[in-house]
Amino acid sequence: MLVALTRERGRNEELRRLVRERADVVETPLTTTRYRPLQEVHDEVRAVRHFGLFRSLVVTSSRSERYVAVARDALIDHCEVFSVGAHTSEVLERGGVFATRESSGTSRDLVPFVTEGPVLILGAVNGRNELVRELNDRDLGPVVVECYETLPAALEEDSAEQLRRADVVFIGAPSAWRVALSVVSEDAWVLVPGETTLDEVRMTHQRVLVGWGAKFDDAWQQITDARS
């Protein structure tokens, strides 16, 4: 079986550990990242009305690593810290910040555990808004600071061919699926981290499962059962 990992190079290790020896693995990055200037983010954080008073911090991606030091100044001592993915928790620790709780799927999975506001969120330009909407509904005062932008990558022919041959493709966001959808075989299984990407893929592809993090083993079993 051939599995395609489609995050940027260097950001696929969590998924590679999930697959282990179960299948052959190829990396076919579908997106690239543009980072906002550090000083620009620094100035924005210092200008928010709750600066120094945030009781919770949510970091949605390890891409926010370079901005963690800026965020620390905006927080109260002993604040709650929430991360999406083990790699995000690791980069937070390198910056001297330790996650109170980690999601193996999406930021929305953290919603029940965020109870103290105001909440500072380090996220993507034009990122998903489910977390913000639900925290607003609970009057927790979320403030989003956009740190980076995810852009589609140019898909070279060798990468496109690997995607065509893949039996299983990890797709991390709707933006990645928009690059891949014309290439991925209709017989391939697509594994996504949560409901937002699931809904996007389902519009054009039948074989799609939520299967990142803790949900991987169940999804993999379903795939192997279907292939047997």
Side-chain angles (χ1 to χ4, degrees):
M1 199 181 314
L2 182 65
V3 175
L5 310 179
T6 65
R7 304 186 73 193
E8 294 174 51
R9 295 197 186 278
R11 299 186 179 278
N12 286 301
E13 292 313 304
E14 288 180 57
L15 301 177
R16 191 183 294 274
R17 286 194 290 268
L18 290 175
V19 178
R20 298 195 304 275
E21 71 283 352
R22 292 180 171 103
D24 295 326
V25 172
V26 293
E27 290 194 38
T28 56
L30 298 177
T31 57
T32 186
T33 302
R34 182 185 69 81
Y35 293 94
R36 288 183 64 196
L38 183 59
Q39 187 61 49
E40 186 177 294
V41 174
H42 176 274
D43 293 344
E44 182 175 329
V45 170
R46 295 194 69 86
V48 298
R49 60 187 290 247
H50 299 304
F51 181 81
L53 300 175
F54 285 100
R55 304 181 68 84
S56 298
L57 171 68
V58 179
V59 183
T60 64
S61 170
S62 60
R63 292 178 178 87
S64 298
E65 178 175 12
R66 64 189 69 185
Y67 309 104
V68 171
V70 173
R72 287 179 64 182
D73 294 336
L75 310 172
I76 65 167
D77 292 337
H78 311 297
C79 76
E80 298 282 291
V81 179
F82 304 88
S83 72
V84 179
H87 192 203
T88 304
S89 298
E90 290 170 9
V91 302
L92 284 172
E93 289 183 16
R94 289 204 291 267
V97 178
F98 297 88
T100 307
R101 182 172 290 270
E102 172 187 305
S103 164
S104 61
T106 67
S107 59
R108 190 175 185 179
D109 298 333
L110 296 169
V111 168
F113 308 104
V114 182
T115 60
E116 298 286 336
V119 183
L120 179 61
I121 303 171
L122 300 186
V125 175
N126 297 321
R128 300 168 186 163
N129 62 8
E130 298 99 327
L131 173 66
V132 176
R133 184 170 60 248
E134 295 194 36
L135 294 180
N136 266 322
D137 289 345
R138 290 161 53 201
D139 296 322
L140 291 177
V143 174
V144 179
V145 174
E146 297 177 336
C147 299
Y148 61 91
E149 184 175 9
T150 302
L151 303 170
L155 192 59
E156 298 180 355
E157 183 53 37
D158 58 343
S159 294
E161 180 58 28
Q162 288 176 331
L163 277 177
R164 290 189 192 101
R165 294 190 298 106
D167 302 293
V168 178
V169 180
F170 281 92
I171 295 290
S175 57
W177 180 243
R178 288 191 284 271
V179 178
L181 66 88
S182 63
V183 180
V184 172
S185 167
E186 65 179 16
D187 294 326
W189 287 91
V190 175
L191 296 184
V192 299
E195 297 298 323
T196 300
T197 308
L198 180 72
D199 291 342
E200 177 78 16
V201 176
R202 268 181 176 165
M203 289 191 292
T204 51
H205 193 84
Q206 291 186 339
R207 294 187 169 192
V208 54
L209 300 168
V210 175
W212 290 39
K215 297 180 180 179
F216 174 77
D217 286 339
D218 288 343
W220 189 264
Q221 186 63 54
Q222 187 170 335
I223 291 170
T224 54
D225 289 346
R227 288 171 56 89
S228 61

